[in-house]
Amino acid sequence: MKKIALVILILTITGFVVFIYNPSGEIEVNIDGEYLDLEDPVKTGEDILFVPAKLIFEELGFQTEWDAENKILSASLGDFRIDLPVGSQKVTVNGKIIKWDNPVEMFDDIVYMPVSAAVETLGAFVEWDESSRVINILTPQEYFDPEKQNDQEGPVLKVAYPPAGRVNYYGHSLFVFGTTQSFSEVHVTVNGEPVDILDSRTGNFLTMVDIPRGEEFPIIVKATDSKGATTVERSALYPAAWQPMPLEPLTIHSAYLIPAEDQVLKLGDILRIAIQGSPGAEASFSIGDRNNRVKMTELAYPAGPPGEGGIYTAAYRINGSDVSDSVISEPMRIFVSLRKGEEEVVRELPGRVRFLSATPYKIVEVKEEHELKNRGWLYVLRDSAFQLHAGTLGGAGYLTNVVSYLVEGTRYEAVGMSGNYYRVNLYGDQIFLIHKDNVRELEDKSALESSLSDIRLLKTGKKISLSLKATERFPFLVEDGINKLAVKLYGLGIDEDLTLPALPEIVNDLKLEVNTAESSDSMVLNIELDQNIAGFKSKWNGTKLVIDIYKPPTVSINDPLKDKIIIIDPGHGGKDSGAIGPGDIHEKDVVLAMGLHLKDLLTAEGATVIMTRTEDKFVNLYDRPERIDLYNADFFISIHANAHAHDAPATEIHGLMTLYNFAHNEELAEIMLSTMEEEMDLPAFRTWRRNIAVLRHPHIPSILVEAGYMMHPEDNWHILHPRGQKEFAKAMKEGIIKYFLSFAE
Ligand code: ZN
């Protein structure tokens, strides 16, 4: 049994209850926004509320019957029937016995039932508002409408995932989830097999199906109750790794061609060529108008033995004969040839190549922070991971990882280009990529000649400032630890008379390690504090790099949140719905409800709360954390509800997750996760360190909470339930308090 259109109901109802003044202290009952006329008062037990059963059932549209001899109150709606024997915890629902935590009671000749158990047995939600002393019961009207019940032939069935229409899935298994509504017992099958999980309280279900590769696979979801069956059909396609090209006529695929975009490469770089064509042929490529052909190899992986897949690759190292006297060659076209006997086909690749004889290619400087937006990242090439199909950065076929955020004003020597990305060196032989829109080209193209002349440490109340003065701005990368930072410096000379500063009390160690390896042009400045850091921030002041390292906040043990400024970021909003739930409820709605509750709770603890949104509207991901600086905030929390990747083992993995972005937030992520697990009836799944847009500000404690999985029936009972949303908010509040208390004296 179950409920839809819930969010709208919650919003209207909370509007009602907030303003209720209830001087007598008597408890009121409100159903879908209307107060009941209670002839018999609500009775309270220890942590339990009893409501008059007959009145509540009749308000919900049920017919009731009183069996005086056996002392059983029965209620029915359509073919749904519930029997409540007085004095017993065992009630009968459609002939099946269910045990409640508290018994049905009789006070003053009136039958009373424990409100939570009763209402939830009916598939409605109940919420106790202690401040206004109101019991709110929320029902989906259409569901409790007896006329609609009679019209319905089978149960209501909604399949939220997979969606209707043709969608491709990449994975051998796929989850199917949705919701049913029925007053009688309902069975749900997918392709004839019972679903793995079906929550009888909500009718929400989740199951996994295996899908074969390469063919359209039907998914038939069927819900059956005593009145009939409802069927919803979906289909899934797990495309073949690639369609083999025909053996005849000899063909080269028109799309699977690497490089897909122009490349600028220097001596020693690898040019990767890859194509798909007819299997079992001889493949080669040539550059420009040169006659020498370079042989390509047909891959054995993953389509089967050579001669079946038709994927041909070559990795060509740029050598001395490629680079001429001119600094950079003209763009050269690349041709691939496929030959079988007399037959030959030739195709030009979309990406051209230029060779660089001397570096740098360009000197670039990172633009102002507000201009960086969604591509303000520094990527590292994963040379080992190569893909023909995926949209790889720069169209060169290599996959990438984000390693850092770009810092305004930093200068880099570009040693080439891949599509729209500059290739830069930072340390070792690794190549990093920066999108060209994030940097401006400097006119002076001579190599960055910078020398480090001064290192200082300045201690102020809130922070330690490490400043590195050089003759030019230089490339750098900060790697963070729990109580330390490693500042990697690239291509930087050292003044002869450079000395390290005296260490203030809080600093344990400061060490400059120069990498003497032949190919390397880098050094690392390590700084270690005698306590955990709360954050750091790097910025340029002229040619001086200043890294502010923040100390943990001062916290009063009695009032840990007093005067703290906390940003709450309810995820998604407006056109961005986030994850879909089993009915018509989306992540954006539930996380907003949780965020608003959290705001009230934190405000009551003396904190000042700034919300990134208070209504259902779209807020740009990159604008959200800007409030951190705007309000000089002490803490940032982003609230989300999780979604599985479609091939994840969704029935097994569920529960709470916290995400963080910097090592100094790892402890926060662990405290939040374990506190929420203690506070809530949900398992702690994991903490996860990830580069996330809203967590890119390293200077204040920042965390993202995934409050359960939207599609998992156990989780979404808590997520969709108004009481559950309050519990999530309370659990997050406790986590924040525990984190701040970890710094208290
Ligand atoms: Zn989300």
Side-chain angles (χ1 to χ4, degrees), residues 450-504:
S450 187
S451 184
L452 187 60
S453 59
D454 195 19
I455 301 179
R456 286 187 191 200
L457 276 174
L458 187 70
K459 188 183 156 199
T460 56
K462 267 179 93 172
K463 65 193 181 191
I464 299 282
S465 296
L466 171 66
S467 69
L468 309 175
K469 192 169 183 347
T471 44
E472 292 284 349
R473 290 184 195 164
F474 49 85
F476 72 97
L477 195 63
V478 179
E479 284 180 2
D480 59 311
I482 291 165
N483 65 335
K484 60 188 175 188
L485 298 178
V487 188
K488 294 190 162 177
L489 310 165
Y490 187 75
L492 195 58
I494 304 178
D495 278 12
E496 270 176 27
D497 53 355
L498 179 79
T499 52
L500 292 178
L503 305 184

Side-chain angles (χ1 to χ4, degrees), residues 572 578-579 587 640-641 706:
H572 312 278
E587 180 186 352
H640 288 249
E706 293 280 5

Side-chain angles (χ1 to χ4, degrees), residues 78 142 145-156 227-228 230:
E142 57 182 294
D145 182 340
E147 283 182 18
K148 284 216 172 137
Q149 280 295 312
N150 294 335
D151 293 349
Q152 193 78 37
E153 276 183 18
V156 172
K227 280 192 221 159
T230 313

